[in-house]
């Protein structure tokens, strides 16, 4: 039973990180229907920029953190401006392949600058985050992930419900043409959503890096694991991303613990195929699958 | 009706037969025959071994790329699992020849058929899904097949790999680049012929109808699901065939090459070459292979100058970067690929001096 609960806790914690990584992905899909294959690279970029700002430029943690997030936001903005905007209205395959090409470019760049080795981020989390309840221990990293995840959920909730830009974003997601005709600046919405998504990705990259150390290959693999998570949660639901992440995390933990460790990495994809056949719009997604 | 004139500068087709003709004038046929003759008679003897190896790889990749183009360019379904299907073909041929001593002539088509079966299984989600959902499903297929190739150790011998014995064809032992050149390019020529003609049949036209508007296609009485599965099957058959040739040519088969980046390379070939163009798939295979090899050459050159080794830089990332850049630039500036560029060049000659 102890083993079961420990697996459950591990799974939930890892799952929260998956959910956090998936948030930015859903953000982009929600507003511009772009499937971003470069998401893992955005995660890695955030973590590596943070590492360099802290270790090389010697900025204090808080400043490094802020600078990284600002940088990520600007980068996301620029990616949309220069790469995605010319493709508005083009067939799906070009958009998908553009993000695949972008992923290869970013990965090459990251490996050129920082190399393929595993690095460790400085441990800066305060001691109160280390929670010990009886024999059950939640390490500070998981605690940080949970806190940041909840923070973002609340922020996104407020943003989409009350702010003008958030409402614009929802209107674009709902019907791009109608939004355009009502005077919503659709391009700005796209740019903003890429900026926010890159920011969230950078943030999640830093937290992922705190847990396992950062390496380009590991983080880009996480970027692909986002797919089962978002399909499970529903491609356009941010709450769904977190819940999907939790379920996939627990599924992985139990498969790794009870069946075989090697099956662990492939089981999300098996779940993905089954899910696509049974309920392609996920748990909280918009039901708009047409069957032809 | 024989035509011995050059291309007219306009569309003067008078019958459906004209429209369906592969060569619109006899010169096209003449040039392709001359090109084929030059390819088979001269190329293997005048090119140095390394160049011949590159040419052989282009041939193998071109077979698989044509298959992917039938699926993506003609049927409109984006697959990110083509590299895994290529791997299934390679393993099928390797297992058949190493374990069961199946002769070359039988094992290559059998590997193709087996891969077609696997491809059809992974095409089943296309019955309910389309667009990006289907793409994600094929992505999952890629990972699942990769996992099976590594972990089904009883058959694939895991990470250790399989060594393929030298094949014999009509009593001649196939070893070395020249004999493989003839095998690969005969298969490629045959498969180009099949693909070009497939597109002209009712099956090919049904694929195109599904790509252009699936609802209209269904309305016109095309059973979409079976045609989609068929397209997956044909596409995987090409991949399996190419994989089988690859296995025999490379001698040893391990699971590492058949990862997601191989699938991405195939998609890149199809896009850079030109979606919905058989010739484009070949241009794409040439482009990607030459790009890969010239970046490797550049890496070696810089290694020799020494300033890279001193700084301890690994050049593999640079290749990845250049590869991504090529994809991005083509999508942004010439999304219809090299085939379209070639068409523009040709028609500007044809319409000269009135090209605009």
């Amino acid at each position: 039973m102890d083993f079961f609960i420990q697996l459950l806790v591990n799974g939930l914690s890892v799952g929260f990180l998956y959910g956090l990584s998936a948030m930015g992905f859903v953000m982009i899909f929600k507003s511009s229907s772009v499937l971003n294959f470069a998401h893992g690279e955005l995660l890695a970029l955030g973590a590596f920029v943070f590492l360099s700002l802290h270790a090389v430029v010697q900025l204090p943690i808080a400043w490094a953190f802020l600078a990284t997030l600002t940088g990520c936001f600007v980068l996301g903005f620029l990616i949309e401006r220069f790469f995605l905007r010319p493709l508005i209205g083009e067939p799906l395959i070009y958009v998908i392949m553009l993000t695949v090409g972008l992923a290869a470019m970013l990965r090459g760049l990251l490996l050129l600058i920082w190399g393929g080795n595993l690095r460790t981020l400085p441990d800066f989390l305060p001691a109160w985050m280390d929670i010990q309840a009886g024999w059950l221990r939640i390490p500070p990293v998981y605690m940080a992930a949970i806190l940041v995840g909840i923070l973002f959920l609340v922020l996104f909730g407020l943003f989409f419900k009350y702010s003008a830009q958030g409402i614009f974003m929802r209107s674009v997601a709902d019907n791009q043409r109608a939004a355009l005709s009502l005077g919503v600046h659709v391009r700005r919405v796209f740019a903003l959503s890429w900026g926010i998504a890159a920011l969230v990705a950078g943030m999640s990259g830093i937290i992922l890096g705190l847990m396992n150390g950062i390496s380009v290959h590991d983080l880009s693999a996480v970027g692909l694991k986002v797919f089962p998570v978002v399909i499970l949660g529903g491609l356009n639901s941010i709450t769904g991303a977190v819940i999907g992440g939790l379920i996939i995390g627990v599924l992985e933990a139990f498969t790794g613990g009870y069946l075989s460790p090697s099956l662990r990495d492939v089981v999300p994809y098996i779940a993905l195929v089954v899910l696509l056949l049974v309920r392609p719009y996920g748990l909280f997604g918009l039901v708009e699958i047409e069957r032809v | 009706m024989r035509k011995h004139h050059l291309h007219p500068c306009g569309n003067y087709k008078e019958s459906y037969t004209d429209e369906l003709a592969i060569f619109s004038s006899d010169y096209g046929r003449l040039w392709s025959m001359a090109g084929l003759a030059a390819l088979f008679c001269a190329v293997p003897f005048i090119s140095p071994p390394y160049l011949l190896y590159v040419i052989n790889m282009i041939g193998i990749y071109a077979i698989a790329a044509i298959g992917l183009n039938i699926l993506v360019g003609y049927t409109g379904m984006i697959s990110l699992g083509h590299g895994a299907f290529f791997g299934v073909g390679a393993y099928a041929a390797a297992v058949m020849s190493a374990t069961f001593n199946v002769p070359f002539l039988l094992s290559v088509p059998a590997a193709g058929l087996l891969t077609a079966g696997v491809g059809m299984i992974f095409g089943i989600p296309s019955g309910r899904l389309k667009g990006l959902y289907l793409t994600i499903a094929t992505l999952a297929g890629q990972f699942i097949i990769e996992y099976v190739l590594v972990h089904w150790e009883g058959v694939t011998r895991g990470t250790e790999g399989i060594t393929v014995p030298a094949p014999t064809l009509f009593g001649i032992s196939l070893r070395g680049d020249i004999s493989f050149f003839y095998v690969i390019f005969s298969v490629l020529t045959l498969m180009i012929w099949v693909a070009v003609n497939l597109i002209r049949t009712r099956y090919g036209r049904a694929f195109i109808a599904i790509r252009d508007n699936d609802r209209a296609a269904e309305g016109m009485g095309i059973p979409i699901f079976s045609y989609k599965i068929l397209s997956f099957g044909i596409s995987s058959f090409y991949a399996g065939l190419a994989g089988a040739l690859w296995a025999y040519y490379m001698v040893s088969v391990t699971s590492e090459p058949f990862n997601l980046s191989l699938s991405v390379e195939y998609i890149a070939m199809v896009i850079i070459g030109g979606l919905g163009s058989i010739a484009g798939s070949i241009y794409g295979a040439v482009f990607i292979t030459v790009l890969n090899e010239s970046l490797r050459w550049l890496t070696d050159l810089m290694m020799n100058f020494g300033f890279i080794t001193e700084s301890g830089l690994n050049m593999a990332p640079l290749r990845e970067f250049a590869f991504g850049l090529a994809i991005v630039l083509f999508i942004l500036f010439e999304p219809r690929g090299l085939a379209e560029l070639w068409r523009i060049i040709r028609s500007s000659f044809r319409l000269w001096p009135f090209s605009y």
Side-chain angles (χ1 to χ4, degrees), chain A residues 273-282 287-292, chain B residues 77 122-135 137 214 218 224-226 228-229 232:
Chain A
V273 173
V274 175
L275 208 69
L276 280 171
L277 285 172
V278 181
R279 200 181 158 87
Y281 37 87
V287 186
E288 54 169 359
I289 298 294
E290 50 170 322
R291 272 165 234 162
V292 185
Chain B
M77 295 188 286
F122 281 94
I124 290 175
S126 71
R128 277 197 78 180
L129 308 169
K130 61 184 209 176
L132 47 91
Y133 288 93
L134 183 61
T135 310
D214 47 0
E218 175 91 69
I224 292 201
F225 181 52
S226 29
K228 279 181 171 175
I229 295 282
F232 261 102

Side-chain angles (χ1 to χ4, degrees), chain A residues 37 83 92-94 97-98 100-101 104-105 107-108 111-112 224 262-263 269 273 276-278 280 290-292, chain B residues 72 78 80 128 130 132-133 137 140 143 147 151 215 224 260 264 267 271 313 317 320-321 324-325 328 331 335:
Chain A
F37 273 86
F83 295 111
L92 180 70
I93 182 167
Y94 295 124
M97 272 316 284
L98 186 98
V100 169
M105 271 172 75
R107 196 161 50 237
L111 287 169
L112 267 183
L224 291 174
S262 68
L263 203 61
Y269 297 103
V273 173
L276 280 171
L277 285 172
V278 181
E290 50 170 322
R291 272 165 234 162
V292 185
Chain B
V72 180
I78 309 166
L80 280 171
R128 277 197 78 180
K130 61 184 209 176
L132 47 91
Y133 288 93
F143 284 112
Y147 175 82
H151 289 94
R215 274 176 271 189
I224 292 201
L260 182 63
V264 170
I267 289 266
I271 287 192
L313 263 177
E320 194 149 19
F321 178 78
L325 191 68
V328 167
I331 291 177

Side-chain angles (χ1 to χ4, degrees), chain B residues 222-285:
Chain B
I222 296 168
I224 292 201
F225 181 52
S226 29
Y227 274 94
K228 279 181 171 175
I229 295 282
L230 182 70
S231 179
F232 261 102
I234 293 172
S235 154
S236 316
F237 179 80
Y238 274 77
L241 213 59
L245 289 175
W246 187 89
Y248 278 109
Y249 187 44
M250 288 286 121
V251 178
S252 113
V253 178
T254 54
S255 62
E256 283 108 52
F258 313 120
N259 51 17
L260 182 63
S261 46
L262 183 66
S263 295
V264 170
E265 262 183 56
Y266 279 125
I267 289 266
M269 283 178 204
V270 171
I271 287 192
I272 288 177
L275 284 173
S277 154
I278 301 291
S281 334
I282 301 161
Y283 304 150

Side-chain angles (χ1 to χ4, degrees), chain B residues 103-106 166-174 179 182-183 186-187:
Chain B
F104 181 76
L105 210 53
L106 194 65
T168 49
L169 186 63
F170 307 125
I172 309 160
S173 175
L174 293 178
S179 48
Y182 282 105
V183 173
S186 315
V187 175

Side-chain angles (χ1 to χ4, degrees), chain B residues 118-338:
Chain B
V118 174
M120 283 160 133
I121 292 171
F122 281 94
I124 290 175
S126 71
R128 277 197 78 180
L129 308 169
K130 61 184 209 176
L132 47 91
Y133 288 93
L134 183 61
T135 310
I136 299 177
T138 59
L139 178 76
Q142 162 78 35
F143 284 112
I144 293 170
I145 293 176
E146 224 179 290
Y147 175 82
V148 171
L149 288 184
V150 177
H151 289 94
W152 193 11
E153 290 182 357
V155 175
T156 64
R157 297 185 206 168
T159 44
E160 185 190 323
I162 303 175
T163 308
V164 186
T168 49
L169 186 63
F170 307 125
I172 309 160
S173 175
L174 293 178
R175 268 291 171 256
D177 292 329
I178 293 185
S179 48
F180 265 103
F181 174 86
Y182 282 105
V183 173
I184 291 169
F185 277 82
S186 315
V187 175
L188 176 63
T189 315
L190 178 72
M191 294 322 279
I192 292 174
W193 182 80
V194 169
V196 167
N197 285 296
L198 175 82
I199 299 309
R200 306 197 301 163
T201 59
R202 58 179 292 163
Y203 298 102
R205 291 202 303 274
F207 290 161
I208 294 171
I210 293 172
R211 174 194 69 188
D212 288 345
N213 191 332
D214 47 0
R215 274 176 271 189
E218 175 91 69
M220 292 188 341
I222 296 168
I224 292 201
F225 181 52
S226 29
Y227 274 94
K228 279 181 171 175
I229 295 282
L230 182 70
S231 179
F232 261 102
I234 293 172
S235 154
S236 316
F237 179 80
Y238 274 77
L241 213 59
L245 289 175
W246 187 89
Y248 278 109
Y249 187 44
M250 288 286 121
V251 178
S252 113
V253 178
T254 54
S255 62
E256 283 108 52
F258 313 120
N259 51 17
L260 182 63
S261 46
L262 183 66
S263 295
V264 170
E265 262 183 56
Y266 279 125
I267 289 266
M269 283 178 204
V270 171
I271 287 192
I272 288 177
L275 284 173
S277 154
I278 301 291
S281 334
I282 301 161
Y283 304 150
V286 173
F287 184 90
I288 293 291
T289 317
V290 170
L291 180 75
N292 268 336
E293 292 301 324
S294 52
L295 286 169
R296 183 171 298 152
W297 175 80
L298 199 69
T299 311
D300 290 348
L301 194 74
M302 288 170 112
M303 289 286 190
N304 288 342
F305 280 129
F307 70 95
I308 295 298
T309 31
E310 273 166 36
S311 61
L313 263 177
N314 183 5
M315 292 300 282
L318 194 64
R319 281 177 54 200
E320 194 149 19
F321 178 78
F323 185 69
L325 191 68
I327 299 178
V328 167
L329 290 182
F330 260 96
I331 291 177
L332 288 180
F333 296 110
E334 187 47 79
R336 289 197 216 160
L338 291 168

